[in-house]
């Protein structure tokens, strides 16, 4: 997965952390959780606020 694989990342986070409310996650924690996902293979520095916001919103949608 790369930073632009927003939907795949959101699905993986939902599967790995089913009891977490994505609205309560700090971006620092979200960044760390994304780079720790199995199959994530991208430059850790590219995970800026814009990417993290998109991932968080997709995760919120996935959790509904």
């Amino acid at each position: 997965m790369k930073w632009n694989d927003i939907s795949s990342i959101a699905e993986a986070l939902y599967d790995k952390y089913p009891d977490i409310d994505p609205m309560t996650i700090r971006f620092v924690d979200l960044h760390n959780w994304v780079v720790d996902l199995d199959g994530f293979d991208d430059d850790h520095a590219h995970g800026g606020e814009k990417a993290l916001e998109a991932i968080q919103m997709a995760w919120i949608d996935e959790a509904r």
Side-chain angles (χ1 to χ4, degrees):
M1 280 181 281
K2 306 289 185 196
W3 283 110
N4 61 351
D5 296 323
I6 303 298
S7 295
S8 297
I9 291 171
E11 289 172 16
L13 289 168
Y14 179 73
D15 290 344
K16 188 168 183 176
Y17 304 103
D19 297 328
I20 298 292
D21 179 356
M23 295 280 294
T24 65
I25 303 303
R26 297 178 317 150
F27 279 173
V28 171
D29 295 331
L30 180 57
H31 183 277
N32 291 333
W33 290 2
V34 170
V35 298
D36 286 341
L37 288 172
D38 290 336
F40 185 81
D41 183 32
D42 202 353
D43 186 344
H44 294 194
H46 289 156
E49 187 173 334
K50 195 171 192 176
L52 294 170
E53 284 177 357
I55 291 165
Q56 183 182 37
M57 295 308 296
W59 187 4
I60 290 167
D61 288 342
E62 185 71 25
R64 291 184 186 171

